[in-house]
Amino acid sequence: EAGVTQFPSHSVIEKGQTVTLRCDPISGHDNLYWYRRVMGKEIKFLLHFVKESKQDESGMPNNRFLAERTGGTYSTLKVQPAELEDSGVYFCASSQVGLAGYTDTQYFGPGTRLTVL
Amino acid sequence: KNEVEQSPQNLTAQEGEFITINCSYSVGISALHWLQQHPGGGIVSLFMLSSGKKKHGRLIATINIQEKHSSLHITASHPRDSAVYICAVMRGTSYGKLTFGQGTILTVHP
């Protein structure tokens, strides 16, 4: 079974440009999470999809970030326009809705390293 | 102060040593994860705990809900255990959203 995949693995863009990150969760996983690690800091939550619906987007830094999950399958995270402070590693994770509700193991993708110059 | 604190931040050990990494949290949780990230690698979930103790090979994770504390132990450490170990908690009402500690960088020398 394929794991969580993310594309691209690295992206280097200039300030003001647009970048779109993609996450393909494990097939059948309704929960999809986006997280970000800024250098030197802990990983932080960005948002959570259940199928195609945004369950929680409380961690999105500002309206330059737009996440979508069309059809409840893959998700995209667009940053427009990118700023220097957006640099970091963006992780995606997916999980099934377990018997205990949402408390099921999350499987992480390899991350996308974004560098904004 | 972060809601999830790990100690130590850096840990160096000799092969064969017993290792303990600690995690304290300040919020009510439904579960706690221990995650591992090797240099250049992805994040792997080692354990998800809501009570008691779990063991997998040389790794043991314990949690004390009353004291809001968890430990990850590695017995007979090996250089391949060198990685960043991350504690993350799932709050009771968070629908799976994780709050992370800053990670512990473990280096095991042969």
Side-chain angles (χ1 to χ4, degrees), chain A residues 11-113:
Chain A
S11 181
V12 181
I13 61 172
E14 293 192 350
K15 176 182 169 180
Q17 289 186 321
T18 298
V19 63
T20 300
L21 314 180
R22 174 171 168 144
C23 168
D24 285 76
I26 292 172
S27 177
H29 282 193
D30 287 339
N31 290 313
L32 188 149
Y33 305 86
W34 282 99
Y35 299 98
R36 176 175 75 170
R37 177 164 56 207
V38 172
M39 192 160 59
K41 304 270 190 171
E42 69 274 14
I43 299 170
K44 291 203 171 172
F45 167 83
L46 294 178
L47 88 157
H48 170 210
F49 285 99
V50 179
K51 297 185 180 178
E52 66 275 7
S53 299
K54 291 176 186 173
Q55 174 69 42
D56 181 352
E57 52 184 330
S58 61
M60 294 286 263
N62 51 61
N63 60 10
R64 296 185 293 102
F65 288 74
L66 175 65
E68 294 180 326
R69 191 180 182 194
T70 308
T73 55
Y74 71 91
S75 173
T76 57
L77 180 65
K78 181 191 285 189
V79 185
Q80 179 183 30
E83 297 288 344
L84 299 178
E85 65 265 24
D86 301 332
S87 295
V89 182
Y90 290 76
F91 293 100
C92 171
S94 72
S95 72
Q96 293 179 313
V97 177
L99 293 174
Y102 291 88
T103 53
D104 211 350
T105 299
Q106 292 185 26
Y107 296 86
F108 285 79
T112 293
R113 183 175 296 277

Side-chain angles (χ1 to χ4, degrees), chain B residues 47 53-61:
Chain B
F47 296 103
K53 175 178 167 178
K54 286 191 176 179
K55 183 175 189 289
H56 184 251
R58 295 180 295 105
L59 302 178
I60 303 166

Side-chain angles (χ1 to χ4, degrees), chain B residues 18-23 32-35 45-64 69-75 85-87:
Chain B
F18 181 84
I19 286 162
T20 296
I21 299 170
N22 295 300
C23 175
L32 181 144
H33 290 250
W34 280 102
L35 308 166
S45 179
L46 297 174
F47 296 103
M48 187 174 72
L49 292 165
S50 54
S51 65
K53 175 178 167 178
K54 286 191 176 179
K55 183 175 189 289
H56 184 251
R58 295 180 295 105
L59 302 178
I60 303 166
T62 64
I63 188 167
N64 185 318
H69 182 268
S70 176
S71 293
L72 176 68
H73 305 286
I74 305 175
T75 62
Y85 292 83
I86 305 166
C87 171

